[in-house]
Amino acid sequence: MTMTSEFRHASRPEEPALSVRQVLTLERVLAGEPEVVAGADGLDRAVRWVHVAEAADVGVMLTGGEMVLTTGVLLAGDEAKQAAYIQSLHRAEAAAVVLGLGRAFPTPPEVMRRAAERCGLPLVVLHRPFPFAELTEEVQSRLVRAKFAAVSLSEAVRTSLTALITSGAPLQRLLDEVAQHSGCPVVLTNLAHRVLATAGERSAVDDVLRDWERIARQAGGSEGDGWVRAELGGRGERWGRLLLCGYRGDSATGRLLADRAAEALVLHRMLGGASGRTWEEQSAHGLLTDLASGTVPARHLLPRARAAGLPVNRRTFVPLVVPGAEPERLDRVLRTLGLTGLVAELADGATAVLLSLARDQDAEALTGRLAARLRTPELPDAVVAAADPRTCWDDVPAGLREARHVADAVAGAALDRPAVVRLRDVHLRGLIRLLRDDPQVQSFAERELDGLLCGGEGELLDVLRTYLATGRNKSRTAQLHHVSRPALYRRLEAIQARLGIDLDDFEQAASVHIALLAHDAQQG
């Protein structure tokens, strides 16, 4: 198994560093009265190490990121050497050069100043005598401590994430752990910049998502200001991106932290995760579940929906629930019809769909086309439970609950169901489904059906169910149960005897029908 988690940054791996500006604010350095005489725009360059060197060709000994300390004794009186010295440091990508005035140069040398300004290399002079060894010791010790802290953090993150993966933790739990270590919002996206999951302080995450369109445009650009990005991929392809948004530590530690997190996320995805769902499915499921539950106000979920790629401005939203349909199949149908929406499997095996349509699209016609596509010879009775379209995002949660209720009501419906069922189609069955947990309704159902329930007469109960669902049509009932008319009459007589009712009496038949609907709702 091969895994990759790579960063888009300079080819040389960065280590924990101080900036030139930070070095110049150290107490020991301030004692030397430092003055920046050139290259002030480069003061935020990273200092990986401090190197004391007097040789004119010092650049060949550098690997980049060093702050070079010199008295200039080998450069005094030779302007060509002074210019070449600066050029050598520039080619070696040195962070800065610090010149101690006094021994060779009583004032900043103009040739070195101009050369440093041209190439953007910070040139700092020290006006008071200063032991370079003290500066070297101070900076090196700080860098070593920073590197040790970064490695310790890296190992702590690796250990905690590995433990979570081993225990079967879901993706969200891993991201929460990363956010806790980083102290900033964490965002997981696919390659199309659609947000799949987030973690961190809710208000900070919402601030990121509200500005996600701009952030997504910059996601492929350079990093900075605490934005750390790690690419996720495996088996020769990339399929995601992890972002630390506004990380406040040093950039090298942030990259190390993101790298450990990326490795864990790649492993989690390759192992299939705890739920067996893809990250995209988990994202849609979480958003639709939060919308339908009402535990989070819809307006607070709007940035999340927009960042997930769902169009939300001036749209018509159509909440649907499709019992027994696989999310993958619904996704394919949506793509075939050119429809945009979120798809997620619910706990009971049904699949929820939230369509986002342009205001000029015919929601009812498109829902009908979707339902027609779902009905195949293998699934001739597939049905779509649809809520009325919503034009206001705040009304979407109620729409999802309505579609769920319709799907629940139609689950026990009998025959010849239309491809699209709405609230107006479920009638009494819908009301009974709402009341099924009421103790009085349960008692009523048991009392009315006692003669069949106590005797375990499952076959007679099925005949009664079909007979009432077909409007007491004896011919149709006999046909559906593959029995003769006389045989059906005998079964109906047995039902009436056990229940003590007359099925030709409308009120008695209606009472038993309601009781049977309640019984089925409770069982389902």
Side-chain angles (χ1 to χ4, degrees), residues 52 98 113 138 386 440:
V52 180
V98 178
R113 191 197 67 78
E138 176 78 11
Q440 295 187 43

Side-chain angles (χ1 to χ4, degrees), residues 296-370:
V296 181
R299 63 182 179 278
H300 292 171
L301 296 171
L302 187 59
R304 188 169 148 196
R306 184 183 288 114
L310 185 73
V312 294
N313 296 330
R314 296 187 58 78
R315 305 289 288 186
T316 296
F317 303 102
V318 186
L320 310 171
V321 172
V322 187
E326 296 179 350
E328 296 81 2
R329 183 164 179 247
L330 275 164
D331 268 328
R332 289 195 298 270
V333 172
L334 291 186
R335 287 195 297 270
T336 300
L337 296 176
L339 299 176
T340 301
L342 297 176
V343 179
E345 186 176 8
L346 304 176
D348 59 1
T351 298
V353 181
L354 179 61
L355 296 179
S356 175
L357 307 178
R359 290 286 175 86
D360 59 353
Q361 289 183 288
D362 189 331
E364 188 166 343
L366 288 172
T367 303
R369 289 177 61 191
L370 171 64

